[in-house]
Amino acid sequence: MFSYLNTKIKILERLMRNEIKEYGKVNRVKAKAFSEKLNDLIDFYNRLRNDKQVAEEVFEDVISEIMNLVKEFKEDKCSFESLDISFEEKAFYDILKDVSIKHEFEYPHEKLLHLAKEIKKIVEDNSSYVDWDNREDIKANLKVDLI
């Protein structure tokens, strides 16, 4: 029975990690946050796993927490729709919001949305070249435009 519980946790963990990895290709900020939450849950379970009785007792709680994380992840992944911005613009929005929180300054929600849209346009314009990430002149131009 205990082996079955571990397998179930490992399958859920692997599925969630794959989803987070894919999300991270566009939205690194949120992917990192979800990855940290998943790591915390798995670490909690792994610490208790050595005591089979305790692990079996908390198993349902851990599964429930993982399922809550899956639900939160899906909601966040689709939240761009309610903000009336694109999936990619949401990634820039999350970066801007994270920076404002990190540096403890308030920035109005509407301005964050506007900036996210503008940043996406700038990045799209500058990354239209095949080798944009290797060309220093294009990267320098991108930095200037973003500033």
Side-chain angles (χ1 to χ4, degrees):
M1 173 72 173
F2 184 69
S3 173
Y4 165 74
L5 300 178
N6 283 333
T7 303
K8 194 171 181 179
I9 294 271
K10 288 297 176 191
I11 290 171
L12 282 172
E13 176 189 7
R14 181 171 292 157
L15 290 171
M16 189 67 189
R17 287 201 191 283
N18 288 340
E19 288 293 315
I20 291 170
K21 182 179 178 182
E22 283 301 308
Y23 193 39
K25 291 178 181 177
V26 176
N27 194 332
R28 287 185 183 175
V29 169
K30 287 295 186 167
K32 181 181 176 190
F34 282 108
S35 183
E36 289 171 357
K37 289 179 182 181
L38 181 61
N39 287 341
D40 290 346
L41 284 170
I42 298 304
D43 289 346
F44 171 75
Y45 178 73
N46 286 337
R47 283 193 305 274
L48 300 176
R49 190 170 76 172
N50 294 332
D51 185 345
K52 288 182 182 182
Q53 184 177 354
V54 173
E56 288 177 4
E57 290 173 9
V58 299
F59 173 77
E60 289 301 324
D61 292 337
V62 172
I63 290 290
S64 176
E65 289 297 318
I66 291 174
M67 295 312 293
N68 287 340
L69 187 61
V70 168
K71 182 181 176 188
E72 183 183 339
F73 177 78
K74 285 181 178 182
E75 288 172 358
D76 185 77
K77 200 171 177 184
C78 295
S79 65
F80 69 94
E81 295 168 346
S82 65
L83 294 171
D84 198 28
I85 57 177
S86 72
F87 186 65
E88 293 82 9
E89 289 168 343
K90 169 76 167 53
F92 291 117
Y93 172 84
D94 289 333
I95 291 168
L96 293 167
K97 191 173 179 182
D98 188 57
V99 167
S100 72
I101 292 169
K102 185 177 182 178
H103 295 287
E104 299 177 351
F105 68 90
E106 289 187 37
Y107 209 78
H109 170 74
E110 291 302 319
K111 285 189 177 186
L112 287 177
L113 290 173
H114 176 72
L115 275 175
K117 289 177 183 182
E118 292 300 315
I119 290 171
K120 182 183 178 263
K121 286 179 194 173
I122 291 169
V123 171
E124 276 183 342
D125 290 345
N126 283 285
S127 63
S128 60
Y129 303 97
V130 175
D131 61 346
W132 73 271
D133 58 336
N134 295 323
R135 290 188 45 197
E136 294 301 319
D137 60 324
I138 295 173
K139 287 196 286 189
N141 189 39
L142 177 61
K143 287 180 185 178
V144 169
D145 289 346
L146 288 173
I147 291 170

